[in-house]
Amino acid sequence: TSGGSSANLAGLTVARNIFFERKMIRKKGLFGQKPFRVYASKEVHGCVDKSLELLGIGTDHLCKVDTHADYTINLEVLEAQIQSDLASGFQPFCIVGTAGTVNTGAIDDLLGLHQLAKKYDLWFHIDGAYGGLVAALDSLKEAYKGIERADSLAIDFHKWLYQPFE
């Protein structure tokens, strides 16, 4: 795509369509569904909010989870929120991990997020627009452990490879 924001929109669109395929979303739309949730850290890029607006999900259904002091998502808080939402009648459907935040460069525990996504049968999307490309470097692979397990991954050639938006 032309940039990270559109890559995240594309990934979240695929997430919504595939996750809800079993509920015939293409035919019935989002009407009549239990309210569903998307989870991300409080450090997630604002394009995720905008993507959820465009997809008809709405930002009220984006649960921004507290982070540790290093600005990475707190997995314990995330899991407690998922359990609380299930008990309250919500349908958790997607976790958004961040592979390098724009503000601090924080990299979420991607392997831990993947394990939670599998445990609760959720889509696992990674916003790697800022840092995802450097996961290919041998010297940094450990920091990005789990990136290869994403159901969808947004990367941005504009940031590191100087590709013009056009």
Side-chain angles (χ1 to χ4, degrees), residues 29 33 48 53 61 63 78 80 89-90 92 122 127 132 136 144 155 161:
Q33 304 291 336
V48 171
E53 290 173 13
H61 298 285
C63 182
L78 170 59
F90 287 97
L122 308 178
D127 175 4
Y144 291 88
I155 57 174
L161 301 177

Side-chain angles (χ1 to χ4, degrees), residues 125-145:
H125 174 75
I126 296 177
D127 175 4
Y130 183 73
L133 285 171
V134 297
L137 298 173
D138 288 336
S139 61
L140 294 174
K141 280 187 180 185
E142 186 64 25
Y144 291 88
K145 188 171 47 179

